[in-house]
Structure formats: C-alpha cells, structure tokens
Amino acid sequence: MKNKGFRKLTLKMRLSLLLFVIAIPLTGMILQILKTIQNYSESYSGIMSNLKIANEYNITFKEDMEYSMYRVMIGLIDASQFENGDILEGATEYATVLKNPLNMIHSARYAFGNTIERVPGTDSDIKIRGILSCLDTLETAVTRMIENSALPGTYDENVSIWENDIKGLCSMIQEYITQYTYYELYHMEELQKQMDIQTRQSVAIFIALLIGILVLGFALSTTITQSVTRPINSLKKTAERLGRGDLEARAELYDLEEINVLARTFNKMSDEIAELMEKTRQEQKNLREAELKLLQAQINPHFLYNTLDSIVWMAEGGNSRQVVEMTTDLSDFFRTVLSGGNDYITIAEEESHIRSYLKIQKIRYEDILDYRIEIAPAIHNQVILKMILQPIVENALYHGIKNKRGGGRIIIRGSACEDGIQFEVEDNGTGMDEASLHALREKLQGREPLSSSKRNSFGMYNVAQRIRMYYGDRSEITVTSEKGIGTCVRIHLGQFDEANYKKS
C-alpha cells in the first residue's frame, strides 16, 4: 500500500518528501543544540558577571573603608566633608583620595542586593545575605563614628568602633565575598560538567539521528532517482531507435506522471511519423512507378517505330528472310517486355530479350555493329528485375557505336559474385570526357534531376531508378569511360527477395 501510495506522488511531491525527511529532523536537532549552547552561554555569562562584581569589592572595599574611617578616627579630616562625596587630601598630583564610606556601603548594597543574580536558598544566596547584613551593621557603625567625630571627647569610642566594628565587619564582608566566589566557581564547574554530559548525549543522539537520516535519505533518493532516470533512459533508447529508422519504437509508461506525459507525447509523435513515412513512401513509390512506366512507354514505341520501319524497308527490297527473322525477333522482344505483367523474369529470359534486341539492331546496322553475350549458364535460372540490360545496350549502341567510324563492338557479361549478381555492358565506342562522365554519374546517383531536354540518358537513368527502387542499398550501377576508347557500365544486384517476386 505504501509503495502504491508513493507511485501516485508527482516528482515535485517526491522531492518535497525527501526534503522533509532530511531537513526537519536535522533542523530540530540543530535547534536543540543551539538552545543548549545558548542556555550554557547565558548561565556562564551570568556567573562571570557576578564574579566580576564580587571580585571588585573583594579587592578594594576593605582597604578603602578602613583607610577612610581611620583618617576620621584620628581627626585628620573633617568627616562632614563626605557630604560632598570623596575627599581629596593634598593639592599635588600625588594627593590621596578618601572614599566616602557611606557611598561605598550604598554602592556595595546595590551591587550585591540588586545587580548580582542569585537563586534563593543556594549557598551563594546565603553568602550574599550575610554580606548585606554586614553592610547594614557597618553603615550603623560608620554613621556613629562620623557623628562622634564632630563631638569632643569621643576619640576612645571611635577607636573602639574602628577596631571592633569597622575592621571586623570589613573582614567578615571580605570573607563572605571569598566564600561567595568559591560557590560561584563551584557552580561554574558543575555547569561545565553538566554541559559536557549534555554535549556527549547530544552528539550521540545527533550521530544516531544523522545515520538514520542518511540511510533513509539515501534509500529515498535512490528510489526517486531511479524513478526518474529509468524512464528517461528508456525514453532515450526509444528515441535512438526511432532515430535509426525503427518506426515501431514506442516509449513505455511508468509511475511518474511527468515522464508519462513525455512518453505519451513521444508515442503520439512516433505514430504520426510512422503514418507520414508510410504515406510518403507509398506516394513516392506510386509516383516513381508511374514515371518509370512512362519512360518505358516512351522508349518502347521509339524502338518499335524504327524496327517496323526497317521491316517495311526490307519488305520493299524483297528481303523476305530478313523480314521473317526480324519479325520473329521483334515478337520475342515484346513477349519479354510484356511477360504477363510481371516485373521479374529469369536471367535466361533477360538474355533472350537482349539477344532479340541485338539481332534486330544487327539487321538494321549490319557492318557497324558487332556484339557478344557472355552470361554464365549457372545463373540462368536466377530471377532479376526485367529490362535491365536492354536500355544499357541501347545507350551503348546509339551513343557509343553509332557515332564511331568503322563500327564497334558491344560485349555483355553476366556472372555470380559474392553477394549477388554482376552484369557488364562494355563497348569500344566514342566514350565520354570527364565532364560528361561526371554529369552522368550524378544523374545515376539521383543527385541531379534528368532534364527533359537531354533524353540521351533516359535508358540508363531508368535502370538506375528501377534497381534502386526494387533493390535499395543492395544495388549499384557504376560507369567508367574514356574519350575515344569506350565505355563500361557495371550493374550490381544483391540477393533477390523471393517475397517480392511472388508479390509481383
């Protein structure tokens, strides 16, 4: 159920869950540590502030108080001057300052009673109360001595007050301050120990929590990462298959809705591409078939007109034997051309077809044409696309042999090769220069359209287009030629697909 619930989460919700799992516990732990540190810092600062105040009075209070009251006791100063504050003895830079005892008492009482922070009932609090009690008694003694200093005959009483009250009370106050300092330092030590224990506990808890968060975060992040990377990799591979021409490639749907949107869009695009490619392929095939059949229709009547013309001419000349022979060859020629509407025939039938064509042309051109057919008997029963050799031979005759003085020869070869069948049509006619040969090769490769004004390459162009359409990458037609030497056309056909033959 948890897994199904997780699958319903979007990528944003999964990332938010990962952030929640990691951030919330860590934030809580860090806040707890910061609070502990803050409490310790406040307690430490409070103790240090109390110790600073206590130490100030521990160092100077007893000495200043006893010295000021001693000067009052022996009558060297007028105690009434304390009403104006401290008294300066002497006029030089080395003059002594007598502290106002009552002001000192009031300041100490405020410092220990109000400024210093204390917890009621603690040892430190008890010492503070002792200090305040001594200050009250000391104030009474100081006030009485100051009052006596203005009266005659009070010297002995003042000496007794100074000896028994003031010095004793100052010593007691100093002792109380020392004891208070001790208890505060002890409290600081206890605070430090408590802080150490809390720190170790917090570190242990933090490490355990951190390990748990890391394990859970790693597991959750791995799950989230795989839920994203796996469908993306699958979508990438599917896109690569589509890029290589596999129109059946379709993206799988996963449990992440964002990826599924991409997958569904990709699949829709693939379907549309496949439909468009199939539609385009069919349209191109239909267009090519129509164009090629039109070219064939243009070639065949031309040949028929010339042959019939020759038959009429021989009949008028009384050459009945040649008329019969040419008529028979013409009949055999068109029987192969029609071939029951099939696009494929055997090599033996193709050889018979080209032989009939050459015999007709031999009768017409007599001395200027010589030919030889060298097709291996071992391949006679193999099936090929029909009308492959005749347009090549016709091109050799009309543009190679016919324009050569003294006539020429055409040799047709056929043999099996490693991955199919290879034909050669070689003539020793006029040949072509480099520019004409390059232009012809470009046309045969389909890189340059055949101009309607230049019809002398229709036959070879027709063959190149047909074998490219029916054989695809398994076919190739190459031309080599040299001006004044001759031309050789090589046709390579790959292994024949029986399914296409049966379909045709």
PDB file of all heavy atoms in Angstrom, residues 253-280:
ATOM      1  N   LEU A 253       5.271   3.359 -20.423  1.00  0.00           N
ATOM      2  CA  LEU A 253       4.705   4.223 -19.395  1.00  0.00           C
ATOM      3  C   LEU A 253       5.160   3.735 -18.023  1.00  0.00           C
ATOM      4  O   LEU A 253       5.220   2.538 -17.765  1.00  0.00           O
ATOM      5  CB  LEU A 253       3.179   4.234 -19.468  1.00  0.00           C
ATOM      6  CG  LEU A 253       2.577   4.792 -20.772  1.00  0.00           C
ATOM      7  CD1 LEU A 253       1.058   4.748 -20.704  1.00  0.00           C
ATOM      8  CD2 LEU A 253       3.049   6.206 -21.022  1.00  0.00           C
ATOM      9  N   TYR A 254       5.511   4.684 -17.143  1.00  0.00           N
ATOM     10  CA  TYR A 254       5.981   4.354 -15.800  1.00  0.00           C
ATOM     11  C   TYR A 254       5.060   5.011 -14.771  1.00  0.00           C
ATOM     12  O   TYR A 254       3.983   5.514 -15.101  1.00  0.00           O
ATOM     13  CB  TYR A 254       7.432   4.804 -15.631  1.00  0.00           C
ATOM     14  CG  TYR A 254       8.414   3.960 -16.416  1.00  0.00           C
ATOM     15  CD1 TYR A 254       8.675   4.228 -17.757  1.00  0.00           C
ATOM     16  CD2 TYR A 254       9.079   2.895 -15.823  1.00  0.00           C
ATOM     17  CE1 TYR A 254       9.579   3.462 -18.487  1.00  0.00           C
ATOM     18  CE2 TYR A 254       9.974   2.121 -16.543  1.00  0.00           C
ATOM     19  CZ  TYR A 254      10.221   2.410 -17.860  1.00  0.00           C
ATOM     20  OH  TYR A 254      11.100   1.648 -18.572  1.00  0.00           O
ATOM     21  N   ASP A 255       5.509   5.001 -13.510  1.00  0.00           N
ATOM     22  CA  ASP A 255       4.665   5.504 -12.427  1.00  0.00           C
ATOM     23  C   ASP A 255       4.892   6.982 -12.138  1.00  0.00           C
ATOM     24  O   ASP A 255       4.449   7.479 -11.102  1.00  0.00           O
ATOM     25  CB  ASP A 255       4.905   4.688 -11.142  1.00  0.00           C
ATOM     26  CG  ASP A 255       6.368   4.682 -10.736  1.00  0.00           C
ATOM     27  OD1 ASP A 255       7.146   5.391 -11.385  1.00  0.00           O
ATOM     28  OD2 ASP A 255       6.714   3.978  -9.774  1.00  0.00           O
ATOM     29  N   LEU A 256       5.607   7.679 -13.003  1.00  0.00           N
ATOM     30  CA  LEU A 256       5.850   9.102 -12.807  1.00  0.00           C
ATOM     31  C   LEU A 256       5.098   9.872 -13.887  1.00  0.00           C
ATOM     32  O   LEU A 256       5.368   9.724 -15.075  1.00  0.00           O
ATOM     33  CB  LEU A 256       7.345   9.397 -12.895  1.00  0.00           C
ATOM     34  CG  LEU A 256       7.822  10.717 -12.289  1.00  0.00           C
ATOM     35  CD1 LEU A 256       7.472  10.794 -10.816  1.00  0.00           C
ATOM     36  CD2 LEU A 256       9.321  10.883 -12.474  1.00  0.00           C
ATOM     37  N   GLU A 257       4.146  10.690 -13.457  1.00  0.00           N
ATOM     38  CA  GLU A 257       3.235  11.316 -14.396  1.00  0.00           C
ATOM     39  C   GLU A 257       3.968  12.268 -15.337  1.00  0.00           C
ATOM     40  O   GLU A 257       3.646  12.352 -16.522  1.00  0.00           O
ATOM     41  CB  GLU A 257       2.147  12.086 -13.630  1.00  0.00           C
ATOM     42  CG  GLU A 257       1.089  12.734 -14.519  1.00  0.00           C
ATOM     43  CD  GLU A 257       0.390  11.728 -15.429  1.00  0.00           C
ATOM     44  OE1 GLU A 257       0.286  10.530 -15.048  1.00  0.00           O
ATOM     45  OE2 GLU A 257      -0.048  12.122 -16.517  1.00  0.00           O
ATOM     46  N   GLU A 258       4.985  13.008 -14.827  1.00  0.00           N
ATOM     47  CA  GLU A 258       5.711  13.936 -15.686  1.00  0.00           C
ATOM     48  C   GLU A 258       6.373  13.197 -16.850  1.00  0.00           C
ATOM     49  O   GLU A 258       6.375  13.675 -17.988  1.00  0.00           O
ATOM     50  CB  GLU A 258       6.785  14.686 -14.880  1.00  0.00           C
ATOM     51  CG  GLU A 258       6.236  15.695 -13.889  1.00  0.00           C
ATOM     52  CD  GLU A 258       5.935  15.093 -12.535  1.00  0.00           C
ATOM     53  OE1 GLU A 258       5.847  13.843 -12.430  1.00  0.00           O
ATOM     54  OE2 GLU A 258       5.771  15.845 -11.583  1.00  0.00           O
ATOM     55  N   ILE A 259       6.964  12.017 -16.553  1.00  0.00           N
ATOM     56  CA  ILE A 259       7.603  11.226 -17.605  1.00  0.00           C
ATOM     57  C   ILE A 259       6.543  10.637 -18.535  1.00  0.00           C
ATOM     58  O   ILE A 259       6.743  10.550 -19.750  1.00  0.00           O
ATOM     59  CB  ILE A 259       8.456  10.106 -16.991  1.00  0.00           C
ATOM     60  CG1 ILE A 259       9.529  10.714 -16.085  1.00  0.00           C
ATOM     61  CG2 ILE A 259       9.114   9.269 -18.077  1.00  0.00           C
ATOM     62  CD1 ILE A 259      10.503  11.611 -16.791  1.00  0.00           C
ATOM     63  N   ASN A 260       5.411  10.233 -17.970  1.00  0.00           N
ATOM     64  CA  ASN A 260       4.355   9.650 -18.791  1.00  0.00           C
ATOM     65  C   ASN A 260       3.815  10.650 -19.804  1.00  0.00           C
ATOM     66  O   ASN A 260       3.415  10.277 -20.912  1.00  0.00           O
ATOM     67  CB  ASN A 260       3.219   9.131 -17.906  1.00  0.00           C
ATOM     68  CG  ASN A 260       3.612   7.867 -17.168  1.00  0.00           C
ATOM     69  OD1 ASN A 260       4.574   7.205 -17.542  1.00  0.00           O
ATOM     70  ND2 ASN A 260       2.884   7.534 -16.123  1.00  0.00           N
ATOM     71  N   VAL A 261       3.764  11.931 -19.415  1.00  0.00           N
ATOM     72  CA  VAL A 261       3.329  12.965 -20.365  1.00  0.00           C
ATOM     73  C   VAL A 261       4.282  12.998 -21.558  1.00  0.00           C
ATOM     74  O   VAL A 261       3.858  13.041 -22.716  1.00  0.00           O
ATOM     75  CB  VAL A 261       3.289  14.341 -19.669  1.00  0.00           C
ATOM     76  CG1 VAL A 261       3.045  15.447 -20.697  1.00  0.00           C
ATOM     77  CG2 VAL A 261       2.192  14.364 -18.613  1.00  0.00           C
ATOM     78  N   LEU A 262       5.606  12.946 -21.267  1.00  0.00           N
ATOM     79  CA  LEU A 262       6.592  12.915 -22.351  1.00  0.00           C
ATOM     80  C   LEU A 262       6.447  11.648 -23.188  1.00  0.00           C
ATOM     81  O   LEU A 262       6.532  11.688 -24.416  1.00  0.00           O
ATOM     82  CB  LEU A 262       8.005  12.986 -21.766  1.00  0.00           C
ATOM     83  CG  LEU A 262       8.405  14.291 -21.079  1.00  0.00           C
ATOM     84  CD1 LEU A 262       9.799  14.155 -20.480  1.00  0.00           C
ATOM     85  CD2 LEU A 262       8.373  15.451 -22.058  1.00  0.00           C
ATOM     86  N   ALA A 263       6.247  10.493 -22.500  1.00  0.00           N
ATOM     87  CA  ALA A 263       6.151   9.218 -23.215  1.00  0.00           C
ATOM     88  C   ALA A 263       4.935   9.201 -24.134  1.00  0.00           C
ATOM     89  O   ALA A 263       5.027   8.775 -25.295  1.00  0.00           O
ATOM     90  CB  ALA A 263       6.085   8.068 -22.214  1.00  0.00           C
ATOM     91  N   ARG A 264       3.783   9.656 -23.618  1.00  0.00           N
ATOM     92  CA  ARG A 264       2.576   9.668 -24.450  1.00  0.00           C
ATOM     93  C   ARG A 264       2.730  10.622 -25.636  1.00  0.00           C
ATOM     94  O   ARG A 264       2.312  10.307 -26.753  1.00  0.00           O
ATOM     95  CB  ARG A 264       1.368  10.066 -23.598  1.00  0.00           C
ATOM     96  CG  ARG A 264       0.869   8.946 -22.685  1.00  0.00           C
ATOM     97  CD  ARG A 264      -0.476   9.279 -22.087  1.00  0.00           C
ATOM     98  NE  ARG A 264      -0.366  10.316 -21.079  1.00  0.00           N
ATOM     99  CZ  ARG A 264      -0.216  10.096 -19.780  1.00  0.00           C
ATOM    100  NH1 ARG A 264      -0.140   8.843 -19.333  1.00  0.00           N
ATOM    101  NH2 ARG A 264      -0.138  11.083 -18.916  1.00  0.00           N
ATOM    102  N   THR A 265       3.354  11.769 -25.386  1.00  0.00           N
ATOM    103  CA  THR A 265       3.596  12.713 -26.482  1.00  0.00           C
ATOM    104  C   THR A 265       4.549  12.111 -27.512  1.00  0.00           C
ATOM    105  O   THR A 265       4.345  12.249 -28.724  1.00  0.00           O
ATOM    106  CB  THR A 265       4.193  14.022 -25.933  1.00  0.00           C
ATOM    107  OG1 THR A 265       3.305  14.555 -24.938  1.00  0.00           O
ATOM    108  CG2 THR A 265       4.364  15.042 -27.044  1.00  0.00           C
ATOM    109  N   PHE A 266       5.601  11.433 -27.004  1.00  0.00           N
ATOM    110  CA  PHE A 266       6.570  10.778 -27.905  1.00  0.00           C
ATOM    111  C   PHE A 266       5.882   9.703 -28.741  1.00  0.00           C
ATOM    112  O   PHE A 266       6.125   9.595 -29.946  1.00  0.00           O
ATOM    113  CB  PHE A 266       7.707  10.184 -27.074  1.00  0.00           C
ATOM    114  CG  PHE A 266       8.744   9.478 -27.894  1.00  0.00           C
ATOM    115  CD1 PHE A 266       9.805  10.159 -28.442  1.00  0.00           C
ATOM    116  CD2 PHE A 266       8.658   8.109 -28.125  1.00  0.00           C
ATOM    117  CE1 PHE A 266      10.759   9.519 -29.201  1.00  0.00           C
ATOM    118  CE2 PHE A 266       9.601   7.449 -28.878  1.00  0.00           C
ATOM    119  CZ  PHE A 266      10.662   8.161 -29.423  1.00  0.00           C
ATOM    120  N   ASN A 267       5.050   8.880 -28.089  1.00  0.00           N
ATOM    121  CA  ASN A 267       4.360   7.809 -28.821  1.00  0.00           C
ATOM    122  C   ASN A 267       3.418   8.379 -29.877  1.00  0.00           C
ATOM    123  O   ASN A 267       3.309   7.841 -30.984  1.00  0.00           O
ATOM    124  CB  ASN A 267       3.599   6.924 -27.839  1.00  0.00           C
ATOM    125  CG  ASN A 267       4.528   6.100 -26.975  1.00  0.00           C
ATOM    126  OD1 ASN A 267       5.689   5.900 -27.315  1.00  0.00           O
ATOM    127  ND2 ASN A 267       4.033   5.620 -25.850  1.00  0.00           N
ATOM    128  N   LYS A 268       2.742   9.449 -29.519  1.00  0.00           N
ATOM    129  CA  LYS A 268       1.849  10.087 -30.486  1.00  0.00           C
ATOM    130  C   LYS A 268       2.648  10.610 -31.676  1.00  0.00           C
ATOM    131  O   LYS A 268       2.247  10.448 -32.834  1.00  0.00           O
ATOM    132  CB  LYS A 268       1.092  11.227 -29.815  1.00  0.00           C
ATOM    133  CG  LYS A 268       0.098  11.926 -30.730  1.00  0.00           C
ATOM    134  CD  LYS A 268      -0.636  13.040 -30.006  1.00  0.00           C
ATOM    135  CE  LYS A 268      -1.599  13.751 -30.948  1.00  0.00           C
ATOM    136  NZ  LYS A 268      -2.286  14.876 -30.268  1.00  0.00           N
ATOM    137  N   MET A 269       3.802  11.223 -31.371  1.00  0.00           N
ATOM    138  CA  MET A 269       4.667  11.722 -32.437  1.00  0.00           C
ATOM    139  C   MET A 269       5.182  10.573 -33.296  1.00  0.00           C
ATOM    140  O   MET A 269       5.239  10.684 -34.525  1.00  0.00           O
ATOM    141  CB  MET A 269       5.841  12.490 -31.821  1.00  0.00           C
ATOM    142  CG  MET A 269       6.816  13.066 -32.842  1.00  0.00           C
ATOM    143  SD  MET A 269       8.286  13.769 -32.073  1.00  0.00           S
ATOM    144  CE  MET A 269       9.051  12.275 -31.435  1.00  0.00           C
ATOM    145  N   SER A 270       5.561   9.443 -32.650  1.00  0.00           N
ATOM    146  CA  SER A 270       6.057   8.282 -33.399  1.00  0.00           C
ATOM    147  C   SER A 270       4.974   7.740 -34.318  1.00  0.00           C
ATOM    148  O   SER A 270       5.251   7.377 -35.465  1.00  0.00           O
ATOM    149  CB  SER A 270       6.528   7.195 -32.431  1.00  0.00           C
ATOM    150  OG  SER A 270       7.574   7.664 -31.621  1.00  0.00           O
ATOM    151  N   ASP A 271       3.741   7.646 -33.816  1.00  0.00           N
ATOM    152  CA  ASP A 271       2.633   7.167 -34.644  1.00  0.00           C
ATOM    153  C   ASP A 271       2.434   8.076 -35.857  1.00  0.00           C
ATOM    154  O   ASP A 271       2.249   7.605 -36.988  1.00  0.00           O
ATOM    155  CB  ASP A 271       1.340   7.106 -33.824  1.00  0.00           C
ATOM    156  CG  ASP A 271       1.407   6.035 -32.748  1.00  0.00           C
ATOM    157  OD1 ASP A 271       2.202   5.091 -32.902  1.00  0.00           O
ATOM    158  OD2 ASP A 271       0.663   6.150 -31.754  1.00  0.00           O
ATOM    159  N   GLU A 272       2.475   9.385 -35.601  1.00  0.00           N
ATOM    160  CA  GLU A 272       2.279  10.326 -36.707  1.00  0.00           C
ATOM    161  C   GLU A 272       3.428  10.240 -37.716  1.00  0.00           C
ATOM    162  O   GLU A 272       3.206  10.320 -38.927  1.00  0.00           O
ATOM    163  CB  GLU A 272       2.168  11.742 -36.148  1.00  0.00           C
ATOM    164  CG  GLU A 272       0.899  11.970 -35.328  1.00  0.00           C
ATOM    165  CD  GLU A 272       0.865  13.351 -34.709  1.00  0.00           C
ATOM    166  OE1 GLU A 272       1.893  14.067 -34.777  1.00  0.00           O
ATOM    167  OE2 GLU A 272      -0.186  13.717 -34.133  1.00  0.00           O
ATOM    168  N   ILE A 273       4.671  10.074 -37.208  1.00  0.00           N
ATOM    169  CA  ILE A 273       5.816   9.945 -38.116  1.00  0.00           C
ATOM    170  C   ILE A 273       5.699   8.681 -38.953  1.00  0.00           C
ATOM    171  O   ILE A 273       5.950   8.681 -40.160  1.00  0.00           O
ATOM    172  CB  ILE A 273       7.131   9.944 -37.317  1.00  0.00           C
ATOM    173  CG1 ILE A 273       7.392  11.333 -36.732  1.00  0.00           C
ATOM    174  CG2 ILE A 273       8.309   9.512 -38.188  1.00  0.00           C
ATOM    175  CD1 ILE A 273       8.609  11.397 -35.839  1.00  0.00           C
ATOM    176  N   ALA A 274       5.309   7.562 -38.276  1.00  0.00           N
ATOM    177  CA  ALA A 274       5.173   6.298 -38.996  1.00  0.00           C
ATOM    178  C   ALA A 274       4.111   6.414 -40.084  1.00  0.00           C
ATOM    179  O   ALA A 274       4.304   5.957 -41.217  1.00  0.00           O
ATOM    180  CB  ALA A 274       4.829   5.176 -38.021  1.00  0.00           C
ATOM    181  N   GLU A 275       2.958   7.027 -39.724  1.00  0.00           N
ATOM    182  CA  GLU A 275       1.893   7.201 -40.715  1.00  0.00           C
ATOM    183  C   GLU A 275       2.353   8.091 -41.860  1.00  0.00           C
ATOM    184  O   GLU A 275       2.088   7.803 -43.036  1.00  0.00           O
ATOM    185  CB  GLU A 275       0.665   7.809 -40.039  1.00  0.00           C
ATOM    186  CG  GLU A 275      -0.017   6.868 -39.030  1.00  0.00           C
ATOM    187  CD  GLU A 275      -1.176   7.542 -38.337  1.00  0.00           C
ATOM    188  OE1 GLU A 275      -1.454   8.718 -38.660  1.00  0.00           O
ATOM    189  OE2 GLU A 275      -1.796   6.907 -37.448  1.00  0.00           O
ATOM    190  N   LEU A 276       3.055   9.178 -41.504  1.00  0.00           N
ATOM    191  CA  LEU A 276       3.525  10.097 -42.540  1.00  0.00           C
ATOM    192  C   LEU A 276       4.562   9.433 -43.438  1.00  0.00           C
ATOM    193  O   LEU A 276       4.532   9.601 -44.667  1.00  0.00           O
ATOM    194  CB  LEU A 276       4.116  11.343 -41.879  1.00  0.00           C
ATOM    195  CG  LEU A 276       4.630  12.441 -42.820  1.00  0.00           C
ATOM    196  CD1 LEU A 276       3.502  12.958 -43.701  1.00  0.00           C
ATOM    197  CD2 LEU A 276       5.249  13.588 -42.026  1.00  0.00           C
ATOM    198  N   MET A 277       5.485   8.660 -42.814  1.00  0.00           N
ATOM    199  CA  MET A 277       6.517   7.967 -43.603  1.00  0.00           C
ATOM    200  C   MET A 277       5.896   6.949 -44.542  1.00  0.00           C
ATOM    201  O   MET A 277       6.285   6.849 -45.711  1.00  0.00           O
ATOM    202  CB  MET A 277       7.511   7.285 -42.661  1.00  0.00           C
ATOM    203  CG  MET A 277       8.401   8.241 -41.892  1.00  0.00           C
ATOM    204  SD  MET A 277       9.630   9.045 -42.932  1.00  0.00           S
ATOM    205  CE  MET A 277      10.702   7.669 -43.287  1.00  0.00           C
ATOM    206  N   GLU A 278       4.929   6.188 -44.028  1.00  0.00           N
ATOM    207  CA  GLU A 278       4.284   5.186 -44.864  1.00  0.00           C
ATOM    208  C   GLU A 278       3.515   5.846 -46.005  1.00  0.00           C
ATOM    209  O   GLU A 278       3.551   5.387 -47.161  1.00  0.00           O
ATOM    210  CB  GLU A 278       3.334   4.342 -44.018  1.00  0.00           C
ATOM    211  CG  GLU A 278       2.626   3.236 -44.790  1.00  0.00           C
ATOM    212  CD  GLU A 278       3.600   2.243 -45.415  1.00  0.00           C
ATOM    213  OE1 GLU A 278       4.708   2.056 -44.859  1.00  0.00           O
ATOM    214  OE2 GLU A 278       3.261   1.660 -46.461  1.00  0.00           O
ATOM    215  N   LYS A 279       2.834   6.939 -45.666  1.00  0.00           N
ATOM    216  CA  LYS A 279       2.084   7.654 -46.701  1.00  0.00           C
ATOM    217  C   LYS A 279       3.034   8.227 -47.749  1.00  0.00           C
ATOM    218  O   LYS A 279       2.784   8.120 -48.957  1.00  0.00           O
ATOM    219  CB  LYS A 279       1.282   8.783 -46.050  1.00  0.00           C
ATOM    220  CG  LYS A 279       0.431   9.573 -47.030  1.00  0.00           C
ATOM    221  CD  LYS A 279      -0.354  10.650 -46.303  1.00  0.00           C
ATOM    222  CE  LYS A 279      -1.186  11.476 -47.271  1.00  0.00           C
ATOM    223  NZ  LYS A 279      -1.932  12.550 -46.567  1.00  0.00           N
ATOM    224  N   THR A 280       4.148   8.826 -47.267  1.00  0.00           N
ATOM    225  CA  THR A 280       5.128   9.400 -48.188  1.00  0.00           C
ATOM    226  C   THR A 280       5.774   8.317 -49.039  1.00  0.00           C
ATOM    227  O   THR A 280       5.980   8.492 -50.248  1.00  0.00           O
ATOM    228  CB  THR A 280       6.207  10.157 -47.402  1.00  0.00           C
ATOM    229  OG1 THR A 280       5.589  11.164 -46.604  1.00  0.00           O
ATOM    230  CG2 THR A 280       7.208  10.807 -48.349  1.00  0.00           C
TER     231      THR A 280
END
